[in-house]
Amino acid sequence: MAGGHGGGFLFHIDGIGGHIDVFADRIVLHRHGFVHFWVELLKLYEGSTETVIPLSQISSMTIVQPIFLPGYARFTYPGSPAYSPHYWVDAMQPNTMLMGYVDNRGFHRLKRMLDGRPAPVIHDRAAE
């Protein structure tokens, strides 16, 4: 599950905190750019600059859009960081990506794609 542009690449999304590459089986969050530089320089966030999340593990995608601060997309999966009551703590988690101020069509396209997936089938062996 390397993060390169290999087979199954679907589309690319740019945000102010980096970009997301969407593949047929996974998404790859790449944190870079001006915002990421300052956040790391000020030691407000220390973490991976690349996060790979298999699509089969994503249970939901939430788009948070405050009035004045930049919005962010948050991916929930087993073992993902829990919500906090603080905007910047949540926005800097490894399962989030800061969106742009104006054009967020790519993030909404990804959300529609994830919301349109069929629900996973869970087999309960104990009930059989």
Side-chain angles (χ1 to χ4, degrees):
M1 293 198 340
H5 294 279
F9 178 75
L10 300 177
F11 58 97
H12 174 90
I13 306 166
D14 285 315
I16 63 170
H19 73 272
I20 299 175
D21 289 327
V22 181
F23 294 86
D25 63 341
R26 68 194 179 280
I27 61 169
V28 184
L29 286 72
H30 300 274
R31 287 173 196 77
H32 58 78
F34 184 75
V35 171
H36 186 67
F37 169 77
W38 282 104
V39 166
E40 280 201 52
L41 183 67
L42 297 172
K43 303 225 186 273
L44 298 174
Y45 170 74
E46 292 180 28
S48 171
T49 58
E50 180 178 284
T51 303
V52 178
I53 308 170
L55 290 180
S56 61
Q57 295 293 311
I58 297 173
S59 57
S60 69
M61 176 184 173
T62 305
I63 294 180
V64 178
Q65 292 182 301
I67 294 173
F68 298 110
L69 297 171
Y72 62 88
R74 178 184 179 82
F75 301 92
T76 305
Y77 52 88
S80 64
Y83 282 103
S84 80
H86 306 290
Y87 168 84
W88 284 111
V89 171
D90 279 344
M92 295 296 117
Q93 293 293 339
N95 61 324
T96 61
M97 177 62 67
L98 285 172
M99 302 188 311
Y101 279 104
V102 179
D103 186 11
N104 292 314
R105 289 176 290 182
F107 291 96
H108 291 281
R109 177 182 177 192
L110 177 57
K111 178 151 177 51
R112 282 191 309 274
M113 184 185 99
L114 292 173
D115 288 347
R117 293 179 301 168
V121 177
I122 300 172
H123 296 285
D124 186 5
R125 299 282 181 204
E128 293 177 355

